[in-house]
């Protein structure tokens, strides 16, 4: 069964926003306040998901009804018997604001973009926290998990109808501030999520957190 | 009996869920249910027959996802043919006594339309059209467009149905818990759009249980003149003993829907989780209810993709600033296709309080049809106000109306036969409220009597096209009072008579009245008040005029339209003479190193930079300000960014402040010939990619450094980039791509540029690119950020100038 839930806005972390914006906390606090006021009440925080059995043999991950060839995902879900596949989105309003200010004030557009990155991550954290113990989130495009696996995820979760999330022909998600991911359920035991960047091999990523 | 006839007199029962029943019979997650029309026809037919037996008048074919995005042309034909055959077989089989109809079911494509997604509007229309044509071919009785969660896609589907059939069309949307569609439209906005285009019934389906949809249903019942439809879910799903079950039982479902039937609901059925048992219960629960008579709500309404705007006692302000008449800077923007300038006019008028924006881009020597369509689409990406499409060219009007997301205000038609013959068919096809000018082949009558007579004729002629009186708003034409001192009185008298005798709403371009007089705003605002008191519903006016806004707020307060005078008090602060926006922090005067203007730019104070530039222009030549102050200030910030002492947000704020300074200079130079420019830089986000923040940042900086940027936008095909480069013989092209999946499109664009525009240097950038990758795909250079792009562009131009070439 596909479950759907809308969340209340998670608390805002300004430091994270500035990290995504490529600036410092003190860079333009006034502008950030303006942007935060503008998104107030305009974002949705929607998630749809399915819980599924998972079997991994190190190369292929098998879920209920579909399987994915990926050693990286197998490693990420190693030891888990159950997993959750989910899709989360902030809705179209943020894209509308970014598009508007992209034409009128690129500084605001860039800050709104950074806010979106922080908000969607916060939504995923909130959702995963409610699942109890989980592994680190693993998304299509990470490691050797092909981006094309998005199509399967979208079919499985009926994303367009459930949360208004769709996929472009080039496999980008619209609304753009959205995440799809797999997480293994660890029965409330060890949460193997010390750092969300630790499993990623993109060493030159400008947003890479401290490891 | 045809479905249309039946719908007029009766309550209509639709069917219930299909997917839920197929899953119970073994349909797998992710499997296409439409395939079962061919592989398991007996199952599909049995489901349809069970619904007819339960009392459904209409069953919907199992074609929710049957479209050309998911099936090949041949597959699609087979699927639709089988689906219609299955429904007809069920109709034959069922012995139930009621009238039985087969509806072609059309669900959403699952893709978002541009500009939010990547599906082009016309492609969406054609996708739906293919399915509609097959439904017609195989003989359905009606079309049911359902579960649409976006107004634009809904419009595409309805347009496809209307262009390819004469069948009745029912349209239902999926509303969320907030009572709106995923992309923001309210039920009232959808009613405006769909009734305008001629839907036979409108409503809601899916998403929620009946009780959660009460608010949506009430709004639909309050606003729709056509029958209202409700097809809710059986509540919310949950898992019990490994099975998915829904939390509203048939009897409760039926009772909840019956409550709405008593309030006027005319067409009802079920969606996810409902079964024949639900329909049977629904028929039983509503058996004694007589169908509510359909009443025309008689409201004059326009809409955007989010909300409806009604004409009524509370006057509407139609912002007139997007119009080149008498505005040199605006003409220049149109000729240069500088859309940003036009978009800023839209957003600024909205901030000043306009309810609708007039859009006029007519100039001699430009392709008005193409530009109007583009302006409408781009404005709808930055403002959610309804638009008034203002053109004398029917071809331009049609292109803009077709693409408009909502029910537009149309400006204008008049009493000439030729005008009505050109405009009314468009109003009928695309929906809209049309402004009708009270003039005809003999000109503008001097008397109110004459103008009212023309208005009557216009209403009568419109009716022959199927356009109701409520979709016509009359402009009784404000004439120049300095030329004829009874002119204003005739206009106002005609307004009052049209409101009272025809019931139609009215609109006026008020400012004509003061032509040739000093202090025009004083005359305009008094005339505005006079007209409002005599039945004016809307004014085409300048929202930047303090006098006009004062009159508007004061009138509303005096007429009891403003609770506790709240709006008046809130707006009163802005009434004084133009208050200069104080900078948010004190700016040091020139301190020897930086001038005051330079400080404003370095600190990123937009308004202050513009004010200071205006002051400097009094005694300083524009070029001296640019080269002596603005460019050095920009360089200070740019160098800081390169040394990593200035961060990107500050760089951008400074760039925007510089841009506002340039804008002041441009407004001045628009009156004195062209400004200097370093060269043309064609800029695009490549095909398939929809991320354009980086590209917009590059654009801003390039403009500040004197380049003329031809911004092609996002998701741009390689051919379009090449065409623009060739057309302008541009020495530079910049391409951006964010995702690995779109880098191949970048490579293709670079290759095509090298073939067909070998003189052009290519700069590439974006999150996934590296210098090595850029070299591999054949680009001339990689730029890690906007400053690097500027530096490279300057080098290229400098080298070319050294070679004696001139590209400007």
């Amino acid at each position: 069964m596909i479950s759907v839930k809308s969340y209340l806005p998670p608390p805002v972390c300004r430091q994270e926003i500035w990290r995504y914006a490529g600036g410092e906390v003190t860079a333009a606090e006034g502008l950030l306040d303006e942007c935060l006021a503008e998104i107030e009440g305009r974002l949705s925080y929607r998630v749809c998901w399915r819980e599924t059995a998972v079997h991994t043999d190190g190369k292929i991950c098998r879920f209920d009804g579909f399987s994915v060839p990926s050693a990286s995902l197998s490693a990420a879900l190693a030891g888990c018997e159950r997993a959750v596949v989910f899709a989360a989105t902030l809705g179209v309003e943020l894209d509308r604001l970014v598009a508007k200010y992209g034409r009128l004030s690129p500084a605001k557009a860039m800050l709104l973009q950074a806010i979106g990155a922080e908000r969607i991550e916060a939504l995923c954290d909130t959702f995963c926290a409610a699942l109890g113990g989980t592994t680190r989130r693993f998304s299509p495009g990470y490691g050797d998990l092909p981006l094309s696996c998005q199509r399967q995820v979208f079919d499985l979760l009926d994303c367009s109808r459930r949360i208004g999330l769709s996929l472009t022909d080039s496999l980008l998600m619209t609304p753009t501030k959205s995440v799809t991911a797999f997480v293994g359920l660890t029965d409330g035991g060890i949460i193997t999520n010390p750092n969300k960047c630790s499993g990623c091999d993109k060493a030159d990523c400008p947003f890479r957190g401290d490891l | 009996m045809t479905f249309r006839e039946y719908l007029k007199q009766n309550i209509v029962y639709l069917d219930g869920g299909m997917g839920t029943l197929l899953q119970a019979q073994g349909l797998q997650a992710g499997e296409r249910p439409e395939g079962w029309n061919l592989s398991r026809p007996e199952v599909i037919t049995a489901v349809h027959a069970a619904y007819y037996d339960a009392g459904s008048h209409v069953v919907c074919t199992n074609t929710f996802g049957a479209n050309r995005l998911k099936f090949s042309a041949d597959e699609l034909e087979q699927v639709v043919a089988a689906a219609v055959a299955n429904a007809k077989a069920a109709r034959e089989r069922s012995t139930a006594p009621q009238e039985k109809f087969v509806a072609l079911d059309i669900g959403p494509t699952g893709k978002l339309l541009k500009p939010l997604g990547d599906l082009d509007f016309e492609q969406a229309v054609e996708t739906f059209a293919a399915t509609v044509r097959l439904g017609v071919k195989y003989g359905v009785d009606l079309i049911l467009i359902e579960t649409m969660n976006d107004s634009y896609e809904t419009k595409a589907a309805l347009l496809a149905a209307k262009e390819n059939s004469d069948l009745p069309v029912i349209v239902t949307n999926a509303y969320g818990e907030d009572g709106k569609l995923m992309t923001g439209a309210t039920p009232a906005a959808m009613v405006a759009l769909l009734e305008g285009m001629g839907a036979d019934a409108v409503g809601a389906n899916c998403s929620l249980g009946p009780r959660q949809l009460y608010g949506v249903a009430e709004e639909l019942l309050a606003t729709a003149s056509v029958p209202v439809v409700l097809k809710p879910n059986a509540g919310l799903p949950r898992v019990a003993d490994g099975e998915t079950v829904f939390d509203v039982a048939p009897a409760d479902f039926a009772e909840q829907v019956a409550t709405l039937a008593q309030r006027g609901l005319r067409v009802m059925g079920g969606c996810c989780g409902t079964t024949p048992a639900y329909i049977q219960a629904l028929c039983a629960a509503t058996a004694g209810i007589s169908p509510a008579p359909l009443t025309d709500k008689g409201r004059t309404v326009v809409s955007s993709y989010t909300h409806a705007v009604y004409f009524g006692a509370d006057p509407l302000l139609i912002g007139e600033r997007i119009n080149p008449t008498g505005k040199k800077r605006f003409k220049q923007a149109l000729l240069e296709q500088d859309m940003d300038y036009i978009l800023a006019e839209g957003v600024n008028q909205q901030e000043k309080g306009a309810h609708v924006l007039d859009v006029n881009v007519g100039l001699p020597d430009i392709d008005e049809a193409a530009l109007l369509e583009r302006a409408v689409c781009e404005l709808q990406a930055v403002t959610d106000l309804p638009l008034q499409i203002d053109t004398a060219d029917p071809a331009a009007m049609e292109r803009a109306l077709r693409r408009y997301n909502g029910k537009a205000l149309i400006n204008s038609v008049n009493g000439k036969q030729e005008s009505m013959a050109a405009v009314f068919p468009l109003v009928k096809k695309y929906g809209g409220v049309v402004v009708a000018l009270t003039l005809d082949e003999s000109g503008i009558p001097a008397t109110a009597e004459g103008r009212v007579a023309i208005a009557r004729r216009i209403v009568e002629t419109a009716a022959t096209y199927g356009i109701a009186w409520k979709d016509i708003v009359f402009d009784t034409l404000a004439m120049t009072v300095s030329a004829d001192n009874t002119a204003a009185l005739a206009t106002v008298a005609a307004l009052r008579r049209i409101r009272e005798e025809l019931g139609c709403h009215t609109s006026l371009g008020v400012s004509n009245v003061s032509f040739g007089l000093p202090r025009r705003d004083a005359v305009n605002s008094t005339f505005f008040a006079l007209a409002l008191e005599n039945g004016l519903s809307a004014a085409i006016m300048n929202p930047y005029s303090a006098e006009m806004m004062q009159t508007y707020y004061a009138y509303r307060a005096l007429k009891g339209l403003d609770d506790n005078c709240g709006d008046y008090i809130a707006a009163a602060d802005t009434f004084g003479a133009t208050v200069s926006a104080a900078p948010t922090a004190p700016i040091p005067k020139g301190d020897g190193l930086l001038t005051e203007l330079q400080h404003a730019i370095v600190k990123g104070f937009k308004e202050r930079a513009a004010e200071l530039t205006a002051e400097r222009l009094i005694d300083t030549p524009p070029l001296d300000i640019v080269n002596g102050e603005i460019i050095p200030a920009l360089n200070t910030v740019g160098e800081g960014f390169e040394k990593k002492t200035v961060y990107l947000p500050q760089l951008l704020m400074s760039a925007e402040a510089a841009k506002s300074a340039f804008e002041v200079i441009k407004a001045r130079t628009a009156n004195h010939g062209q400004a200097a420019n370093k060269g043309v830089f064609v800029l695009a986000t490549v095909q398939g990619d929809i991320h354009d923040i980086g590209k917009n940042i590059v654009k801003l900086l390039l403009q500040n450094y004197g380049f003329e940027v031809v911004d092609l936008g996002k998701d741009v095909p390689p051919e379009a980039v090449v065409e623009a480069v060739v057309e302008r013989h541009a020495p530079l092209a910049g391409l951006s791509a964010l995702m690995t999946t779109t880098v191949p499109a970048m490579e293709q664009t670079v290759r095509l540029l090298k073939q067909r525009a070998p003189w052009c240097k290519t700069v590439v950038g974006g999150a996934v690119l590296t210098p090595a990758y850029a070299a591999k795909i054949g680009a001339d250079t990689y730029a890690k950020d906007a400053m690097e792009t500027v530096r490279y562009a300057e080098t290229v131009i400098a080298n070319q100038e050294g070679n004696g070439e001139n590209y400007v």
Side-chain angles (χ1 to χ4, degrees):
Chain A
M1 187 188 85
I2 304 166
S3 303
V4 182
K5 189 171 174 186
S6 290
Y7 289 82
L8 292 171
V12 172
C13 177
R14 299 174 74 102
Q15 200 165 353
E16 274 292 278
I17 295 172
W18 284 118
R19 189 170 74 79
Y20 287 117
E24 282 197 323
V25 177
T26 53
E29 290 301 305
L31 195 64
L32 177 56
D33 287 335
E34 212 177 287
C35 291
L36 287 171
E38 200 149 354
I39 63 159
E40 185 77 37
R42 293 187 66 172
L43 307 191
S44 73
Y45 294 85
R46 277 193 287 255
V47 184
C48 65
W49 73 96
R50 258 183 204 267
E51 193 181 321
T52 162
V54 57
H55 303 281
T56 62
D57 63 1
K59 288 178 192 155
I60 297 176
C61 280
R62 289 175 212 286
F63 303 96
D64 295 341
F66 78 112
S67 60
V68 185
S70 167
S72 322
L73 181 59
S74 297
L77 300 179
C80 298
E81 292 179 350
R82 311 275 310 158
V84 165
V85 191
F86 74 92
T89 184
L90 301 180
V92 296
E93 286 299 318
L94 191 81
D95 284 359
R96 283 197 174 128
L97 285 172
V98 168
K100 171 177 169 179
Y101 288 110
R103 306 301 294 267
L104 304 171
S105 166
K108 265 178 106 166
M110 194 209 52
L111 268 188
L112 285 161
Q113 156 88 5
I115 290 170
E118 186 274 344
R119 296 284 71 205
I120 188 67
E121 288 296 315
L123 173 60
C124 292
D125 289 345
T126 306
F127 170 73
C128 289
L131 294 173
T134 69
T135 62
R136 161 176 93 75
R137 295 198 292 275
F138 204 93
S139 293
Y142 284 13
D144 67 354
L145 182 62
L147 198 57
S148 57
C149 136
Q150 286 282 45
R151 294 196 204 282
Q152 281 166 292
V153 172
F154 271 68
D155 282 347
L156 185 78
L157 296 178
D158 195 12
C159 294
S160 168
R161 197 162 162 181
R162 307 293 171 148
I163 58 171
L165 177 60
S166 40
L167 202 56
T168 69
D169 292 343
S170 48
L171 300 173
L172 308 186
M173 287 185 281
T174 53
T176 57
K177 283 295 169 253
S178 303
V179 164
T180 57
F182 297 85
V183 285
L185 298 180
T186 54
D187 279 340
I190 315 142
I191 301 169
T192 53
N193 187 17
N195 181 295
K196 54 191 173 190
C197 296
S198 61
C200 178
D201 36 358
K202 187 165 170 54
D204 60 348
C205 172
F207 302 111
R208 196 171 178 89
D210 295 332
L211 297 182
Chain B
M1 189 182 286
T2 67
F3 179 74
R4 274 202 184 101
E5 287 161 358
Y6 193 81
L7 178 64
K8 260 184 215 152
Q9 307 294 340
N10 301 282
I11 283 182
V12 172
Y13 299 106
L14 306 175
D15 59 5
M18 170 68 79
T20 326
L21 298 177
L22 300 190
Q23 277 156 23
Q25 305 232 26
L27 183 78
Q28 294 300 304
E31 188 184 355
R32 291 170 179 171
E34 298 81 16
W36 279 33
N37 288 312
L38 294 159
S39 62
R40 307 281 302 276
E42 70 290 347
V43 175
I44 304 298
T45 302
V47 171
H48 289 324
Y51 278 119
Y52 279 132
D53 289 344
S56 296
H57 296 105
V58 176
V59 306
C60 302
T61 55
N62 178 30
T63 50
F64 183 84
N67 62 56
R68 284 287 281 112
L69 298 183
K70 292 174 187 154
F71 294 91
S72 72
D74 289 345
E75 282 174 340
L76 185 66
E77 175 141 16
Q78 287 171 19
V79 164
V80 175
V84 176
N86 292 336
K88 287 183 172 174
R91 176 160 65 185
E92 292 298 310
R93 186 185 305 173
S94 172
T95 54
Q98 76 277 14
E99 293 276 344
K100 301 190 196 72
F101 304 96
V102 172
L104 175 72
D105 189 81
I106 294 182
T109 59
K111 301 200 55 126
L112 259 177
L113 271 66
K114 291 176 181 179
L116 293 166
D118 68 336
L119 184 63
D120 181 71
F121 179 77
E122 291 299 344
Q123 199 191 341
V125 173
E126 185 41 44
T127 300
F128 292 120
T131 305
V132 168
R133 286 191 289 264
L134 290 171
V136 171
K137 178 173 174 183
Y138 290 100
V140 297
D141 304 308
L142 67 145
I143 294 168
L144 188 135
I145 295 166
E146 62 151 313
T147 325
M148 295 280 169
N149 58 20
D150 171 42
S151 59
Y152 211 22
E153 187 176 9
T154 315
K155 172 171 177 170
L158 182 53
L159 190 58
K162 288 280 167 191
E163 285 187 330
N164 293 280
S165 82
D166 299 319
L167 295 172
V169 188
I170 295 177
V171 185
T172 60
N173 288 103
Y175 293 92
E177 285 161 322
D178 59 356
K180 297 176 184 174
L181 303 189
M182 295 273 188
T183 51
T186 59
M190 290 313 297
V191 167
L193 169 70
L194 298 172
E195 280 193 358
M197 291 181 64
D200 292 89
V202 299
N205 78 297
C206 205
S207 312
L208 302 163
R211 189 152 279 162
Q212 290 81 22
L213 284 172
Y214 274 7
V216 169
E218 295 288 355
E219 189 171 330
L220 291 168
L221 288 167
T223 53
S225 300
V226 298
V228 172
V229 190
L230 195 66
K231 214 170 177 285
N233 290 348
L236 297 170
R238 64 189 156 82
V239 175
D241 302 328
E243 297 280 315
T244 302
V245 295
F246 285 77
D247 66 0
V248 180
D252 297 331
F253 178 91
E255 191 189 320
Q256 290 172 25
V257 178
T259 306
L260 290 168
Q262 272 156 349
R263 291 187 226 166
L265 185 71
R266 286 286 301 276
V267 184
M268 57 205 82
C271 200
C272 305
T274 61
T275 62
Y278 284 76
I279 301 303
Q280 198 166 17
L282 182 59
C283 293
T286 53
I289 300 174
S290 50
L294 296 171
T295 50
D296 186 343
K297 299 293 187 292
R299 307 284 303 271
T300 299
V301 58
V302 293
S303 68
S304 68
Y305 52 86
T306 54
H307 64 283
V309 170
Y310 292 92
F311 285 72
D314 206 344
L316 297 180
L317 304 178
I318 303 170
E320 69 180 7
R321 301 290 301 171
I322 302 178
N323 189 322
T325 312
K327 301 189 196 84
K328 280 193 175 133
R329 176 66 188 92
F330 199 94
K331 282 181 190 163
Q332 185 191 354
L334 285 182
L335 292 170
E336 292 172 359
Q337 305 232 346
D338 176 3
M339 294 310 282
D340 292 359
Y341 182 84
I342 297 166
L343 301 184
E345 283 285 10
V347 170
N348 291 340
Q349 291 182 91
Q350 178 167 22
E351 281 167 8
K352 292 288 182 192
H355 305 109
V356 176
L357 300 177
D358 183 79
V359 185
N360 182 322
V361 294
L363 269 190
D365 304 325
I366 64 165
D367 180 352
E368 188 187 348
L371 193 57
L372 186 62
E373 176 185 326
R374 181 170 168 208
V376 162
C377 291
E378 295 207 22
L379 276 162
Q380 289 209 293
V382 303
T383 171
D384 63 357
L385 291 186
L387 301 181
Q388 169 163 285
I389 292 165
D390 182 357
T391 174
D393 174 4
M397 189 181 279
E398 170 149 32
R399 279 178 67 175
L401 281 175
R402 191 173 174 89
R403 287 284 177 140
Y404 180 72
N405 188 355
K407 181 186 182 191
L409 195 53
I410 302 166
N411 194 9
S412 58
V413 71
N414 61 53
K416 293 179 185 168
Q417 290 303 325
E418 187 191 9
S419 169
M420 292 191 283
V423 173
F424 283 150
L426 302 180
V427 178
K428 177 66 184 165
K429 178 171 182 183
Y430 297 105
V433 168
V434 65
V435 175
L437 313 180
T438 52
L439 61 86
D440 64 10
E441 285 83 356
S442 322
I444 303 169
T447 63
E449 186 72 57
R451 293 183 206 181
V452 175
I454 291 176
R456 276 186 208 287
R457 238 180 15 253
I458 290 174
V459 169
E460 284 160 13
T461 310
T464 66
Y465 288 87
I467 298 165
W469 61 273
K470 64 183 177 183
D471 285 328
I472 303 170
V473 162
F474 283 100
D475 182 335
T476 56
L477 301 163
M479 309 299 286
T480 307
V481 73
S482 60
D484 170 4
N485 67 2
T486 64
L489 293 174
T491 305
V492 164
L495 282 180
R496 178 179 279 278
R497 287 192 51 188
I498 285 173
R499 277 298 288 137
E500 287 173 355
E501 295 172 24
L502 303 182
C504 292
H505 285 282
T506 56
S507 169
L508 271 184
V510 288
S511 49
N512 288 345
V513 76
S514 62
F515 198 75
L517 291 174
R519 298 292 304 268
R520 292 183 62 183
D521 275 350
V523 180
N524 291 346
S525 57
T526 305
F527 178 59
F528 182 32
L530 192 65
L532 285 171
E533 187 52 18
N534 280 282
L536 183 67
S537 322
I540 304 177
M541 46 76 75
N542 178 4
Y544 306 150
S545 159
E547 285 90 343
M548 288 293 289
M549 295 308 288
Q550 281 169 27
T551 301
Y552 166 74
Y553 285 110
Y555 177 84
R556 290 183 71 246
L558 294 168
K559 294 291 282 188
L561 298 166
D562 182 4
D563 283 346
N564 302 320
C565 304
D567 294 342
Y568 179 85
I569 292 165
D573 288 346
T574 63
F575 288 167
T578 46
V579 185
S580 72
T584 47
I587 298 173
K589 295 280 179 194
D591 58 3
L593 289 173
L594 294 175
T595 66
E596 205 179 347
L597 172 57
Q598 289 179 320
H599 261 293
I601 291 171
V602 169
K603 293 286 174 195
F605 298 126
K606 273 199 254 190
E607 289 83 5
R608 191 69 189 133
E611 283 167 17
L612 288 167
T613 306
E615 284 172 23
R616 301 283 285 116
L617 275 170
I618 295 168
D619 57 6
T620 315
L623 263 183
D624 289 1
I625 302 176
V626 173
N627 293 329
E629 299 201 54
I630 303 178
I631 295 286
L634 272 173
N635 280 336
T636 306
V637 183
E639 283 158 18
F641 179 72
E642 285 162 334
K643 288 182 205 145
K644 298 190 173 19
T645 57
V646 167
Y647 292 100
L648 186 57
Q650 292 155 290
L651 175 75
L652 293 179
M653 289 172 73
S654 293
E656 286 179 23
K659 190 181 173 189
S660 73
F662 279 125
E663 190 50 55
V664 173
I665 288 173
K666 217 169 175 183
R668 169 67 62 91
T669 50
N671 296 321
H672 305 284
Q674 289 284 310
N677 104 44
K678 279 188 191 156
V680 176
F681 195 115
V682 172
L683 196 57
T685 296
V686 299
Q687 187 160 44
D689 211 317
I690 51 170
H691 299 87
D692 62 356
I693 292 180
K695 183 215 72 187
N696 289 335
I697 292 172
V698 170
K699 173 182 172 184
L700 173 66
L701 268 80
L702 282 169
Q703 285 174 330
N704 276 346
Y705 279 88
F707 291 90
E708 182 190 345
V709 178
V710 177
D711 179 7
L712 301 177
K714 58 190 181 179
D715 193 9
V716 183
E719 298 76 21
V721 176
V722 173
E723 272 168 34
V725 167
V726 170
E727 188 191 327
R728 301 298 308 273
H729 200 76
L732 285 153
L735 303 171
S736 143
L738 189 85
M739 302 288 285
T740 46
T741 47
T742 56
V743 173
M746 178 180 267
E747 184 172 7
Q748 204 191 335
T749 311
V750 170
R751 201 183 314 124
L752 207 60
L753 275 171
K754 290 293 158 207
Q755 279 168 18
R756 298 197 10 221
W759 65 84
C760 179
K761 297 286 182 192
T762 51
V763 196
V764 297
V768 292
L769 285 161
T770 60
Y773 212 160
K776 195 180 140 207
I777 65 171
D780 290 298
T781 196
Y782 161 81
K784 74 172 167 27
D785 55 42
M787 279 312 297
E788 224 175 82
T789 311
V790 169
R791 299 297 183 218
Y792 177 74
E794 286 180 325
T795 317
V796 169
I797 296 298
N799 286 342
Q800 285 175 344
E801 279 166 0
N803 295 336
E805 295 188 50
N806 182 7
Y807 290 107
V808 180

